[in-house]
């Protein structure tokens, strides 16, 4: 499973890139607004940092305007993936832009039929929101599993980009369900490293090693 970082913050991106496991970045209007620059400027900054797909959201909501905004975002950098909401206008814009070879991430997906629409419209990625769906009491991981199975049934090349992930268990479950990508905030990515037995084991290994070499230094061996 590929790992995307869900942020528009350059410091967070730099921090995660040093691990060598980040395959791309996703943003949304809320994340971009937090950085205080318009979308095109912030996306250009991110594209200079990341060697991989960078999802850039459209703000327009009507097909024609979305299509124009999508084309303009795609011109910023070859790594830009235009992010459109899963509405009727969004699907129409997806069909048009995909036909022209612009990669699309259809976002705010909460049902398998919506994901089927995204694939039929030629989307490169569909983003089912696991955490937000579970907030309503519906099972989020079942949605990932269903979309993966449906895409396999018909040989769709659209990749399932599991979004709105809230913890390491979500990441593992999405990987098990066959999601192609998981996008997550820095805090969640950092939490994937953690286990108390890793820290405890390392401490013990280093203590044992130091005890031996401290003894050798004293005894002159
Ligand atoms: C993905 O593209 C979205 O930006 C993101 O995963 C939404 O996550 P949230 O529900 O935690 O805001």
């Amino acid at each position: 499973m590929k790992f995307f970082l869900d942020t528009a913050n350059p410091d967070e991106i730099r921090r995660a890139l040093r691990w060598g496991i980040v395959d791309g970045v996703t943003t949304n209007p809320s994340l971009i607004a937090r950085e205080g620059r318009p979308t095109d400027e912030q996306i250009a900054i991110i594209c200079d940092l990341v060697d991989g797909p960078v999802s850039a959201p459209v703000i327009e909501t009507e097909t024609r305007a979305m299509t124009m905004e999508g084309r303009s975002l795609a011109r910023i950098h070859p790594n830009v993936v235009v992010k459109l909401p899963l509405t009727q206008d969004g699907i129409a814009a997806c069909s048009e832009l995909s036909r022209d070879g612009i990669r699309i991430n259809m976002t705010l997906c909460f049902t398998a039929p919506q994901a089927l629409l995204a694939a039929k419209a030629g989307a490169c990625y569909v983003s089912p929101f696991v955490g937000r769906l579970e907030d309503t009491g519906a099972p989020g991981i079942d949605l990932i599993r269903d979309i993966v199975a449906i895409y396999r049934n018909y040989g769709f090349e659209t990749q399932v980009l599991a979004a709105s992930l809230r913890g390491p268990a979500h990441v593992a479950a999405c990987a098990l369900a066959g999601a192609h990508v998981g996008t997550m905030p820095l805090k969640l990515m950092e939490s994937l490293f953690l286990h108390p037995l890793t820290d405890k084991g390392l401490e013990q290994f280093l203590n044992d090693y130091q005890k031996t070499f401290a003894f050798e230094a004293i005894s002159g061996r």
Side-chain angles (χ1 to χ4, degrees):
M1 184 165 78
K2 284 177 232 158
F3 278 7
F4 287 0
L5 193 65
D6 194 36
T7 185
N9 182 276
D11 290 338
E12 291 191 355
I13 293 169
R14 279 188 210 98
R15 184 170 164 74
L17 282 177
R18 74 194 173 93
W19 299 319
I21 49 95
V22 173
D23 302 293
V25 166
T26 51
T27 66
N28 63 41
S30 312
L31 294 171
I32 287 183
R34 237 180 257 170
E35 301 306 312
R37 278 195 195 83
T39 306
D40 52 348
E41 287 178 28
Q42 198 61 30
I43 292 297
I45 292 171
I46 296 170
C47 287
D48 277 346
L49 297 173
V50 183
D51 184 19
V54 174
S55 285
V58 299
I59 305 300
E60 297 290 349
T61 54
E62 179 274 322
T63 302
R64 202 176 139 70
M66 282 172 142
T67 306
M68 282 170 61
E69 189 183 1
R71 288 190 200 289
S72 146
L73 289 170
R75 275 194 293 271
I76 296 173
H77 193 280
N79 284 350
V80 166
V81 174
V82 174
K83 199 175 188 188
L84 299 167
L86 225 155
T87 59
Q88 289 190 12
D89 281 86
I91 286 290
C94 176
S95 296
E96 188 173 333
L97 293 171
S98 298
R99 265 197 305 271
D100 291 347
I102 293 175
R103 289 181 299 168
I104 304 296
N105 174 2
M106 289 305 300
T107 192
L108 292 167
C109 172
F110 292 93
T111 71
Q114 284 182 321
L116 199 46
L117 293 170
K120 287 178 69 67
C124 182
Y125 302 99
V126 68
S127 292
F129 276 39
V130 174
R132 290 193 197 191
L133 187 57
E134 289 183 351
D135 289 344
T136 71
I141 302 300
D142 286 2
L143 175 62
I144 302 292
R145 200 176 294 114
D146 288 352
I147 298 172
V148 168
I150 288 168
Y151 283 3
R152 282 212 185 112
N153 284 349
Y154 294 96
F156 284 122
E157 288 177 6
T158 306
Q159 296 189 36
V160 180
L161 195 170
S164 190
L165 304 180
R166 302 273 168 82
H170 269 164
V171 177
C174 286
L176 204 55
H180 302 86
V181 189
T183 190
M184 62 201 89
L186 180 66
K187 206 169 168 200
L188 171 51
M189 203 174 274
E190 283 177 328
S191 76
L192 301 183
F193 288 85
L194 304 177
H195 194 281
L197 290 179
T198 304
D199 297 336
K200 198 176 160 197
L202 179 61
E203 193 184 342
Q204 189 183 338
F205 285 155
L206 295 179
N207 279 342
D208 290 346
Y209 187 87
Q210 274 158 6
K211 263 186 249 158
T212 299
F213 286 101
F215 170 75
E216 286 184 2
I218 292 164
S219 67
R221 278 171 54 201

